[in-house]
Amino acid sequence: MQILNYIVRLTQLPEVSVKNTLDLLNEDCTVPFISRYRKERTGNLDEVQIGDIVKFKEQFETLEKRKKAILKSLTEQGVLTEDLERKLVSTQDLTTLEDLYLPFKKSRKTKAEKARQLGLEPLAKIIMSQNANDIESVAYRYVKGEVISQDAALEGARHIIAEWINERTDIRNNIRYQLERFARISTKIVKAKENEESAQKFKDYFDWEEELSRIPSHRLLAILRAEKEGVVKLKISIDDDRALDKIEQRLIRSNNDCAEQIEIAAKDAYKRLLLPSLSNEALQIAKEKADEAAINVFAKNLKQLLLGSPLGEKRVLAIDPGFRTGCKVVCLDAQGQLLYNETIYPHPPKNDSIGAMKKISSLADAYNTEAIAIGNGTASRETEALIRKIRFKNDIQVFVVSEAGASIYSASKMAREEFPNYDVTVRGAVSIGRRLQDPLAELVKIDAKSIGVGQYQHDVDQVKLQKSLDSVVENCVNAVGVNLNTASKSLLSYVSGIGPKLAENVFNYRQEKGAFISRKDLKSVPRLGGKAFEQSAAFLRIKDAENPLDDSSVHPESYAIVSKMAKDMGKSVNALIGKPDTLKAINLKDYCTDTVGLPTLQDILKELEKPGLDIRAQAKVFAFNQNIKTITDLRPDQLLPGIVNNITNFGCFVDVGIKESGLIHVSNLSDSFVKDVNDHVHLHEQIIVKVLEVDLARKRVKLKLHKKM
């Protein structure tokens, strides 16, 4: 089985694990379901390993599809030999496949093709045989028609030879090797752009050079963006003399006129065909690696953001701050439903701070507010300072919440459906409040690329980026679990086995029939069949269900096992839940079967001990230094509280309460070597930073990690 060998070779995973995982994928099982509920079959592979199998499965299928297309083309051309077919079928990578196909590709009319039509291919073969000592005399025999001279005949023959050289796999691979080992990337400013303001962000790359193999992903993506915007010219280079010498060593085996013609053809092949094509290929490979690194950074950031600390089901007053247009205030119940909205004007030009404070205080009392969420955009610090002056009757926690992407949600079709009678400002404020209650449930409504935690996200392969981000969202949603009776359509659509259409059906069924009282009720949802139920049920939770297992991650297929455990101990299922001492007395080996082994049974016991446990940490209150409002308030050596708001391969950005985020370079994260920034900080982590340098002209702040909070 070719696909099995292919994936095992690339992943180094056990063959039986890969085979069983492929079988499950072919049965339309999802990655979250396989990793959580089919551990015995996969050999306990995690979601990352299963994700790799999915990736290489798709890669293999793409390769096979291309092979079929090439074999069909060669058959139609009547040039497919047994040897060529064997080579094509056994090829394991696209690059080699395309090299084998290169001589037979139907392309635009080339110089070599024109020379062939003029009857110069026999002359090219004579030159390549390197036996003729007076090649000009031989060339004279080909002077006829459009070939008006010996030089023209030789030039045409060289074009054919150059094409042959370009098509030789060994020569192409040698140039590839040199590009891989020794290529340098350099940039030069386009003179007309040098003084343009928009070009200054690329100033570091106006005259730049380094090894292509060592360039960091963020720098390559920045250079490529600069080239795309016409700011710089980019060049990939290697030692031309060494490259040509390697080519000639493979071609020239005489010291006559033919050798001289081959030498000229080799230079032409190298400059006109090989180097442009293969340097572009080398740059594309480097770009793919940079894309992968950037996408990995984005994926890690997104995962941390989605699994951010929820406040939970508490009543929230949310504020979307602003100056001229005022601050939009909404009151939400514990489930995030909108109860009331109003606009206050505490800041310039109206400056009604006293009226605003009275209004907030009365709303907090009227709606029994337990927490206040303030968006971190324009006028955020001023609004936070105002709120902290209010003496509330009850203890109310104040949080500053990221607004990233809130405006996109508020203008979306989804928001219009949810709040048809309210404008975008009210919807935006609601989103801010809900982000505090449950970041995951709210953020899944927004295109992940709009959340603002990526690195050059618009410059990377958009298909790969979207696929990676969708996978992250799916894994996060299923890792946490979803409340079946409160989840939005967006949240439901990411549940294993559901998808957008079934999510709408589940949502509509709930609207028509009322709350689900049992997981079994899912089977009554239109078009939700046995497979979808199998894949989704355990990730959907029902609070206060008649069967307590419906509010756990125990799969319905395992309910009978739990019932047997309870029966054997002379207890009810309820009597097992949350009782560690009772659960420890269960001998799991007594419940092993051909399909259920210890990994599944251990998961069941862990869940029974703490059913429905949220894997996310609790939200913590945070306050910026109230004396720091703008970049001009910063001084070297200041110690300030901050929140990590973006992570890259070269460090992390930190919000210290001003418009500009400060950068902690990797060299300032730790006194020891930093292999991965995520090992030292995570998104939205609260830390203390030390100010190292403030560049007012470029509005840049350099920071050092002082300590964790």
Side-chain angles (χ1 to χ4, degrees), residues 297-310 376 401-406 435-436 438-444 446-454 469 472-473 476-477 480 616-617 643-647 678 682-685:
V297 167
F298 200 156
K300 284 181 181 177
N301 285 354
L302 180 62
K303 181 177 181 179
Q304 292 176 21
L305 188 65
L306 293 175
L307 295 180
S309 305
N376 70 341
V401 179
S402 170
E403 289 183 10
R435 284 183 189 204
L436 176 60
D438 189 342
L440 178 61
E442 194 61 21
L443 290 171
V444 294
I446 304 165
D447 179 1
K449 287 179 282 189
S450 304
I451 297 175
V453 290
L469 300 186
V472 169
V473 177
C476 288
V477 167
V480 171
R616 300 169 292 179
I643 296 177
V644 178
N645 62 5
N646 206 350
I647 294 175
N678 289 278
H682 60 261
L683 212 61
H684 286 189
E685 184 174 7

Side-chain angles (χ1 to χ4, degrees), residues 194 254 459 480 482 631:
E194 191 167 10
S254 65
D459 301 284
V480 171
V482 169
I631 193 170

Side-chain angles (χ1 to χ4, degrees), residues 639 642 644 652 654 663-665 667-671 677 680-681 685-692 702-709:
L639 295 179
V644 178
C652 66
V654 181
L663 171 66
I664 304 179
H665 189 265
S667 58
N668 292 314
L669 268 175
S670 172
D671 293 330
V677 177
H680 296 264
V681 291
E685 184 174 7
Q686 300 173 9
I687 58 176
I688 301 293
V689 296
K690 182 179 181 180
V691 179
L692 296 179
K702 189 185 289 186
L703 305 171
K704 180 181 175 68
L705 177 61
H706 181 66
K707 66 176 183 178
K708 305 287 188 84
M709 290 179 69

Side-chain angles (χ1 to χ4, degrees), residues 221-376:
L221 292 171
I223 286 172
L224 290 171
R225 183 187 289 181
E227 184 198 31
K228 187 178 179 182
E229 294 183 16
V231 176
V232 300
K233 293 283 188 185
L234 184 153
K235 183 181 178 184
I236 303 294
S237 58
I238 52 176
D239 186 329
D240 292 339
D241 292 337
R242 177 168 56 188
L244 275 166
D245 188 48
K246 295 287 185 186
I247 294 171
E248 289 168 9
Q249 283 175 20
R250 292 171 182 269
L251 297 171
I252 299 173
R253 55 181 193 279
S254 65
N255 189 20
N256 56 18
D257 290 352
C258 293
E260 187 180 331
Q261 293 298 318
I262 293 170
E263 193 176 324
I264 298 169
K267 284 178 182 173
D268 176 44
Y270 175 71
K271 292 285 188 185
R272 183 168 58 88
L273 302 172
L274 286 164
L275 187 62
S277 167
L278 297 179
S279 61
N280 281 339
E281 182 185 283
L283 182 60
Q284 185 56 37
I285 290 169
K287 164 76 163 57
E288 286 172 6
K289 288 178 181 175
D291 281 3
E292 189 174 344
I295 289 170
N296 284 341
V297 167
F298 200 156
K300 284 181 181 177
N301 285 354
L302 180 62
K303 181 177 181 179
Q304 292 176 21
L305 188 65
L306 293 175
L307 295 180
S309 305
L311 183 68
E313 294 187 351
K314 293 189 178 181
R315 294 178 295 279
V316 170
L317 183 150
I319 305 173
D320 186 357
F323 286 113
R324 184 181 56 80
T325 55
C327 299
K328 186 60 67 177
V329 181
V330 297
C331 297
L332 307 178
D333 68 13
Q335 284 72 45
Q337 296 303 308
L338 175 61
L339 304 174
Y340 180 84
N341 78 93
E342 184 163 330
T343 305
I344 57 174
Y345 297 90
H347 310 309
K350 293 196 176 179
N351 290 310
D352 183 18
S353 58
I354 293 174
M357 290 168 72
K358 286 181 179 176
K359 173 56 68 176
I360 294 292
S361 181
S362 67
L363 287 175
D365 290 345
Y367 292 97
N368 297 315
T369 296
E370 297 171 271
I372 293 176
I374 303 168
N376 70 341

